[in-house]
Amino acid sequence: MGWASVLGLAGMGWRGQAGEPDRPPNIVLIVADDLGIGHCGCYGQTKIRTPRIDRLAAEGMRFTQFYAGANVCAPSRSVLMTGLHTGHTPVRNNGMKRFLFDEDVTVAEVLKAAGYATGGFGKWGLGTPDTPGVALRQGFDTWCGQYSQVHAHFYYPYFVMRDLEKLPLPENEGRRRGRYVQEVIHKHALAFIEAHRDQPFFAYLPYILPHVELVAPPAARQAYEGEFPRIARADPRPGYLGSDDACAEFAGMVSYLDQLVGEVLDTLQRLGLAERTIVLFTSDNGPQPGAWTDIFVDFFDGNGPLRGAKTNFYEGGIRVPLIVRWPGKIAPGSVSDHVGYFADILPTLAEMAQAQQHLPPRLDGLSLVPTLLGRPQEQPKHAYLYWEATGTQQNIIQQAVRWGNWKAVRNRPGDPMELYDLARDPGETQNVADQHPEVMQRMAEICRGAHTPERVFGPAPPESAADYVR
């Protein structure tokens, strides 16, 4: 990042209330799970109410061409944490026993080295306690939530993880719906913010909503009962809860997430921290397809005008919301069409925290600070964006590239790459690969150059519902 951007931040100053010493801003990073870009009102949703997320957008900057790190959970979070795209980042798909290594540098480690208190609350997915990838060995002072992705599928488990120990939830024993787990995790997040009000903190909130299983808190579901067609939807996985009113259930889950976002904003305001805290809101990938496509994607228009959903590399699978609020620094109600992705979060937060000296030597991301501070003419742009997914043989099974307005996609191994002109065809309806051989040649060159061999990982131990609900 150029010195103009750094000096711009320094010139704005870090001074808080009168008489208080200068200090870098607090950072709250909220990541929803399987929330499509079309599920929020500020991105066009009309059936589900998201007033707090919409308020966040009205008070900050909303990005329209921002992408997740991958099309499923774990690799997307690996890109977010390391600033490396999926041709370089350690975790490149769900499945297998994939995890971060000690030598991997995460955003939490960068901020911790700069003096931040670091706390994580929700779904980790990058290493369990028996690996070096567990959050407490990757820069987090504390964690409350789920290290295992399968654990994060359940809304009434009999425990969550607090640091390296199980926090029992006896109210949920016997398959009872006693304590909605997202509420438990959220309360720990708010307590962390309050406990660290007098020092810079990084609160990472990778909440599990609205990932299925399909279960909302009763009051959140009741707010929508009778508004939509009543559709029963069982979960095809053994031991998972379904719903007898799936549309109301899902809308309730999204609105409950919105409520939690509002409580974070209210807590910052109550503590006098709103002006000195950067809040970011995004999602790890597009909406859940499969048994729920007709509801999450179609009925609620979860991918907006885009094609595809979670698990594929069409725009609906990887284009996600990004909203950033920093009162007094980011212009309220601003909108950016800058093309960025999860790899940009690490260098952006490092620059905001004046922690660039702690960055690893190699990153794929670029700081978004010039765009956020209203100087888009100074914003460096990516030569290309690259995504890949590897299979159980650790071979490449999916790839995508965005190069300018061109988008190349291969969603199944062995298929030829498709090509779309996003400027003319944002819905990716017309494959024009045959018409542009020179573009396809460039895309092939990018794919070859962006990929490095994945680390060798072994098979994951089996997990089932019985490990987390009983």
Side-chain angles (χ1 to χ4, degrees):
M1 180 57 54
W3 281 108
S5 158
V6 177
L7 291 172
L9 276 174
M12 298 181 83
W14 305 110
R15 190 169 301 279
Q17 304 299 321
E20 293 183 354
D22 292 353
R23 79 179 203 192
N26 309 310
I27 299 168
V28 177
L29 173 56
I30 306 171
V31 181
D33 196 345
D34 292 1
L35 183 80
I37 193 169
H39 285 146
C40 301
C42 55
Y43 284 95
Q45 177 59 222
T46 59
K47 297 174 181 174
I48 304 173
R49 296 178 283 277
T50 58
R52 288 85 168 185
I53 296 170
D54 300 345
R55 167 191 157 194
L56 191 66
E59 295 175 352
M61 179 175 288
R62 179 174 61 88
F63 286 75
T64 63
Q65 297 194 77
F66 188 78
Y67 292 88
N71 56 2
V72 292
C73 303
S76 195
R77 294 156 197 271
S78 185
V79 174
L80 181 70
M81 283 290 108
T82 65
L84 298 170
H85 64 54
T86 42
H88 299 146
T89 203
V91 175
R92 303 191 189 180
N93 207 339
N94 293 344
M96 305 184 70
K97 191 170 183 178
R98 293 177 163 103
F99 53 86
L100 300 181
F101 282 21
D102 285 331
E103 59 263 35
D104 298 320
V105 178
T106 68
V107 61
E109 290 177 291
V110 169
L111 295 176
K112 184 178 176 67
Y116 278 67
T118 57
F121 306 91
K123 173 176 169 180
W124 176 239
L126 300 176
T128 48
D130 61 332
T131 73
V134 70
L136 293 188
R137 293 182 62 179
Q138 293 293 333
F140 286 94
D141 298 325
T142 189
W143 189 274
C144 181
Q146 306 92 343
Y147 294 127
S148 158
Q149 292 196 90
V150 176
H151 189 184
H153 291 174
F154 300 99
Y155 286 91
Y156 292 99
Y158 72 91
F159 72 94
V160 291
M161 297 301 298
R162 183 169 57 190
D163 296 335
L164 297 178
E165 303 295 329
K166 290 182 178 179
L167 173 64
L169 300 176
E171 307 93 323
N172 296 340
E173 294 272 5
R175 297 294 181 105
R176 289 179 295 168
R177 301 190 187 190
R179 293 192 73 189
Y180 197 73
V181 71
Q182 184 62 86
E183 179 188 2
V184 176
I185 295 167
H186 177 66
K187 287 184 175 179
H188 279 80
L190 296 185
F192 173 85
I193 291 171
E194 182 139 16
H196 296 281
R197 61 189 296 178
D198 295 325
Q199 68 179 108
F201 62 78
F202 171 50
Y204 175 45
L205 280 52
Y207 284 169
I208 63 175
L209 288 159
H211 193 295
V212 289
E213 47 182 15
L214 185 55
V215 185
R221 167 181 153 157
Q222 289 165 10
Y224 287 99
E225 288 177 351
E227 289 191 28
F228 312 127
R230 190 179 181 95
I231 301 171
R233 186 55 45 86
D235 195 306
R237 298 166 295 183
Y240 284 68
L241 297 172
S243 175
D244 62 354
D245 193 354
C247 293
E249 202 89 57
F250 181 73
M253 293 174 79
V254 175
S255 280
Y256 186 65
L257 170 66
D258 181 76
Q259 175 186 323
L260 302 186
V261 171
E263 290 178 7
V264 170
L265 301 180
D266 291 346
T267 297
L268 295 172
Q269 188 67 40
R270 175 176 59 83
L271 296 175
L273 299 176
E275 283 69 33
R276 60 169 52 169
T277 303
I278 303 159
V279 178
L280 304 92
F281 176 84
T282 188
S283 178
D284 65 344
N285 47 244
Q288 174 71 45
W292 305 273
T293 299
D294 61 327
I295 298 170
F296 301 173
V297 182
D298 298 336
F299 182 77
F300 286 115
D301 206 19
N303 53 4
L306 307 176
R307 177 183 181 182
K310 177 182 178 179
T311 74
N312 63 59
F313 280 132
Y314 294 122
E315 292 288 285
I318 53 176
R319 198 187 291 197
V320 294
L322 174 66
I323 302 167
V324 188
R325 187 191 79 167
W326 191 7
K329 310 294 191 297
I330 296 173
S334 51
V335 179
S336 174
D337 63 358
H338 173 73
V339 178
Y341 65 161
F342 268 19
D344 300 332
I345 297 296
L346 172 52
T348 300
L349 298 187
E351 183 169 349
M352 288 174 160
Q354 302 182 66
Q356 298 99 317
Q357 70 272 28
H358 303 296
L359 286 170
R362 179 183 179 185
L363 288 175
D364 294 315
L366 299 171
S367 173
L368 300 172
V369 164
T371 293
L372 292 170
L373 297 187
R375 299 194 301 273
Q377 70 279 4
E378 299 174 17
Q379 177 64 58
K381 293 180 171 57
H382 290 281
Y384 58 83
L385 304 184
Y386 175 78
W387 299 267
E388 70 176 50
T390 56
T392 55
Q393 302 302 312
Q394 301 198 257
N395 56 314
I396 297 175
I397 59 173
Q398 294 174 301
Q399 282 178 302
V401 177
R402 177 159 177 176
W403 178 46
N405 285 321
W406 293 110
K407 170 87 174 293
V409 181
R410 179 186 290 115
N411 278 311
R412 292 186 298 183
D415 283 359
M417 264 202 156
E418 303 164 11
L419 181 68
Y420 300 96
D421 180 354
L422 295 180
R424 300 186 179 200
D425 181 25
E428 295 170 298
T429 61
Q430 298 183 24
N431 177 11
V432 295
D434 292 344
Q435 302 170 35
H436 298 279
E438 73 291 349
V439 176
M440 296 307 294
Q441 180 179 351
R442 176 58 181 146
M443 293 298 194
E445 293 170 354
I446 291 172
C447 287
R448 287 193 296 269
H451 170 74
T452 59
E454 185 182 15
R455 290 172 182 163
V456 177
F457 294 105
E463 293 178 90
S464 69
D467 296 318
Y468 305 109
V469 294
R470 64 185 184 188

